Amino acid sequence: QKEVEQDPGPLSVPEGAIVSLNCTYSNSAFQYFMWYRQYSRKGPELLMYTYSSGNKEDGRFTAQVDKSSKYISLFIRDSQPSDSATYLCAMRPPVNTGFQKLVFGTGTRLLVSP
Amino acid sequence: NAGVTQTPKFQVLKTGQSMTLQCAQDMNHEYMSWYRQDPGMGLRLIHYSVGAGITDQGEVPNGYNVSRSTTEDFPLRLLSAAPSQTSVYFCASSTRQGGKTQYFGPGTRLLVL
């Protein structure tokens, strides 16, 4: 079983729709949760991150973490064609727990049509 | 700042050939990593470095070597290319080990025939 599971998609939505992207994970030690966005033939770039549980909002984007369910979500409101990309979740345990590396999901490809 | 740069953008190799993928960053980051990205597998860590002269293995290091003689450069060497090494390779840097903000390069697409 992979440490982080993510539906690869593609997820196709019309412009203006609310998009929900999700990841599940198995390691309860994860404390930092990140969302990276990767445009076609480009490197990933950090979109936003959340520490532990709760919500974080940044413009049209909201990241949500439910540690009890080991489930994280990224919501995109009023989706735009420019949001078409692959979204990767990434996670990391606390700083004081040995080797630090990010564990990435496989990514969900999102297509927003005009 | 150019950020993280990688060369070449695309390369075709024959089985058994060797090559070096170049990576450089101009942000004075101590930590640099190499990942490979394959369909259905996500990003997997190959090797990483916590500073000049210090490198260590990630989760998929076999068939790859790295060195870090300067803060800026972190080349990845394929010793004897195999078709299983066909992938997209990303170099990343960060200000700390396992940093939340990894700055990725544009990637090198490698095809091994």
Side-chain angles (χ1 to χ4, degrees):
Chain A
Q1 182 191 5
K2 292 180 182 176
E3 276 191 291
V4 179
E5 299 275 1
Q6 188 175 8
D7 189 323
L11 176 63
S12 295
V13 301
E15 182 176 356
I18 297 174
V19 175
S20 172
L21 303 166
N22 312 293
C23 288
T24 59
Y25 63 96
S26 58
N27 187 347
S28 58
F30 288 141
Q31 290 278 9
Y32 291 90
F33 304 91
M34 280 112 346
W35 286 95
Y36 280 78
R37 179 174 60 195
Q38 184 178 19
Y39 290 113
S40 181
R41 297 185 178 267
K42 300 287 186 185
E45 55 180 353
L46 180 68
L47 189 60
M48 54 194 309
Y49 73 88
T50 311
Y51 173 71
S52 194
S53 286
N55 291 1
K56 186 173 183 178
E57 189 172 318
D58 183 2
R60 296 184 295 110
F61 298 88
T62 300
Q64 197 171 77
V65 175
D66 182 350
K67 292 195 70 183
S68 61
S69 302
K70 297 191 180 69
Y71 189 87
I72 71 170
S73 300
L74 176 71
F75 298 98
I76 307 175
R77 291 184 300 280
D78 187 26
S79 56
Q80 303 294 309
S82 58
D83 295 328
S84 297
T86 297
Y87 291 81
L88 299 95
C89 61
M91 310 180 185
R92 201 197 80 189
V95 173
N96 59 346
T97 56
F99 172 53
Q100 295 294 298
K101 73 177 181 78
L102 299 185
V103 180
F104 285 88
T106 54
T108 298
R109 187 171 170 222
L110 172 66
L111 302 171
V112 182
S113 54
Chain B
N1 285 353
V4 178
T5 57
Q6 291 183 239
T7 56
K9 285 186 169 54
F10 180 69
Q11 183 72 46
V12 179
L13 289 180
K14 294 181 179 177
T15 297
Q17 287 184 317
S18 62
M19 78 161 294
T20 299
L21 281 64
Q22 301 291 344
C23 174
Q25 52 94 7
D26 61 0
M27 297 174 283
N28 203 32
H29 287 169
E30 288 186 75
Y31 301 96
M32 298 186 73
S33 309
W34 275 102
Y35 295 86
R36 57 178 292 174
Q37 187 175 39
D38 303 288
M41 301 294 290
L43 285 161
R44 291 182 292 168
L45 184 64
I46 304 171
H47 284 286
Y48 67 97
S49 168
V50 299
I54 306 171
T55 64
D56 207 343
Q57 299 180 350
E59 54 185 307
V60 288
N62 292 342
Y64 307 95
N65 270 359
V66 291
S67 60
R68 183 102 179 267
S69 56
T70 67
T71 300
E72 293 79 21
D73 300 299
F74 190 41
L76 177 72
R77 278 180 283 278
L78 278 70
L79 309 173
S80 177
S84 61
Q85 293 178 304
T86 293
S87 187
V88 182
Y89 292 85
F90 290 101
C91 178
S93 72
S94 63
T95 55
R96 62 175 300 156
Q97 185 182 8
K100 299 181 291 297
T101 307
Q102 298 277 323
Y103 294 87
F104 285 87
T108 294
R109 306 180 84 83
L110 177 67
L111 174 62
V112 183
L113 302 174

